[in-house]
Amino acid sequence: MKNKMLRNGVEMPEVGFGTWKAGETDGFAVLSEAIRAGYRHIDTASAYHTEEAVGRAVAASGVDRSEFFITTKAWKDQLGYDRTLAAFDASCQALGMDYLDLYLIHWPGEDMYLPSWKAFIRLYEEKRIRAIGVSNFYP
């Protein structure tokens, strides 16, 4: 699969497997099949309730974690500096991973994205996240 170079030099696969609806079925089985089919970029979010299934499928795949590009997102109720730090830790725990490839603010929400962005920068500087960004923001 082709990769896209992010602004910080991190390469991200152009095609990823989204998990928004995977939690409505056997998420582990769906994700395991996606990995067998060759997907290495997996997009999840705390709001999707699929992070645990993603982590289990990655761990069971036999493919080294470094071969994957894992994206997850902080939801509106997880915004604010301390809440974002706690949400990050909860996502990593659910995923069974000690770092993320891409962490996004899932939705703007009530002016709390600026303190969250500061938490993102801290986590990025601590090398716990390889890239940071936003989702569903208007220009």
Side-chain angles (χ1 to χ4, degrees):
M1 288 190 198
K2 288 181 165 183
N3 289 336
K4 192 77 161 176
M5 183 76 68
L6 301 177
R7 294 187 85 144
N8 68 349
V10 169
E11 289 191 30
M12 178 179 80
E14 285 185 340
V15 176
F17 188 82
T19 65
W20 177 42
K21 296 285 188 172
E24 295 177 2
T25 60
D26 181 357
F28 174 78
V30 168
L31 288 155
S32 295
E33 188 58 35
I35 291 168
R36 274 192 290 279
Y39 284 94
R40 294 299 180 263
H41 179 187
I42 300 175
D43 176 88
T44 187
S46 61
Y48 301 166
H49 306 289
T50 55
E51 291 173 327
E52 184 179 336
V54 168
R56 288 187 313 128
V58 167
S61 71
V63 178
D64 191 78
R65 163 65 180 97
S66 65
E67 298 292 318
F68 288 94
F69 191 94
I70 306 297
T71 301
T72 196
K73 305 170 202 77
W75 187 240
K76 292 187 280 188
D77 64 359
Q78 297 172 320
L79 299 184
Y81 188 83
D82 292 330
R83 282 186 282 176
T84 296
L85 293 175
F88 174 84
D89 288 337
S91 288
C92 284
Q93 183 175 4
L95 288 159
M97 299 175 185
D98 56 1
Y99 74 95
L100 294 173
D101 296 291
L102 178 61
Y103 197 38
L104 302 173
I105 296 175
H106 202 157
W107 203 267
E110 305 304 319
D111 295 329
M112 292 303 293
Y113 52 87
L114 292 176
S116 294
W117 191 254
K118 290 179 182 177
F120 273 43
I121 291 169
R122 173 182 165 180
L123 293 164
Y124 177 77
E125 288 173 345
E126 292 175 353
K127 302 200 183 311
R128 297 180 68 196
I129 307 170
R130 296 179 60 226
I132 57 179
V134 297
S135 173
N136 299 313
F137 277 60
Y138 295 107

